[in-house]
Amino acid sequence: QRFLDRNQIDPGEDNPTTSYETVGGTVTAHVMYADIKLAKFNIDKARVAIMRSPEQEKYADGILGMNILSKFNIQIDNIKGIVSVSRK
């Protein structure tokens, strides 16, 4: 709910739903468009899927799909604890 609350987004019942295959199985989510930020990059009108999961909200504010991640080069340095993000 944090992302939804912070951005005053209410998926409502009028928004279409779709199913997604995730690591945890198939989920159904409301589909909307929202402005989001990844590192220092603003992404206008990104397609987002709103999934309400109190259990997941304890650990994450959301997940990013390939529709967003495929636009960036992302490097993870586990030893230094650094994630570097740049546009492709």
Side-chain angles (χ1 to χ4, degrees):
Q1 290 280 7
R2 293 175 295 169
F3 173 81
L4 299 178
D5 295 339
R6 240 188 355 263
N7 293 284
Q8 298 178 337
I9 295 173
D10 178 12
E13 296 302 317
D14 295 336
N15 288 307
T17 59
T18 191
S19 295
Y20 292 95
E21 292 296 325
T22 70
V23 173
T26 303
V27 296
T28 300
H30 290 278
V31 177
M32 326 178 43
Y33 292 85
D35 297 336
I36 63 174
K37 187 171 185 171
L38 174 62
K40 63 182 178 182
F41 302 102
N42 293 316
I43 305 164
D44 298 329
K45 297 184 177 97
R47 184 173 188 243
V48 297
I50 306 300
M51 298 176 277
R52 296 188 186 275
S53 171
E55 185 61 32
Q56 288 179 347
E57 289 172 9
K58 292 178 188 175
Y59 308 105
D61 204 19
I63 57 174
L64 296 173
M66 289 309 295
N67 64 319
I68 300 297
L69 294 176
S70 66
K71 298 175 183 180
F72 295 91
N73 294 310
I74 300 173
Q75 295 180 325
I76 301 171
D77 185 330
N78 288 330
I79 295 171
K80 293 182 181 177
I82 297 173
V83 177
S84 301
V85 179
S86 62
R87 283 204 187 266
K88 284 188 175 177

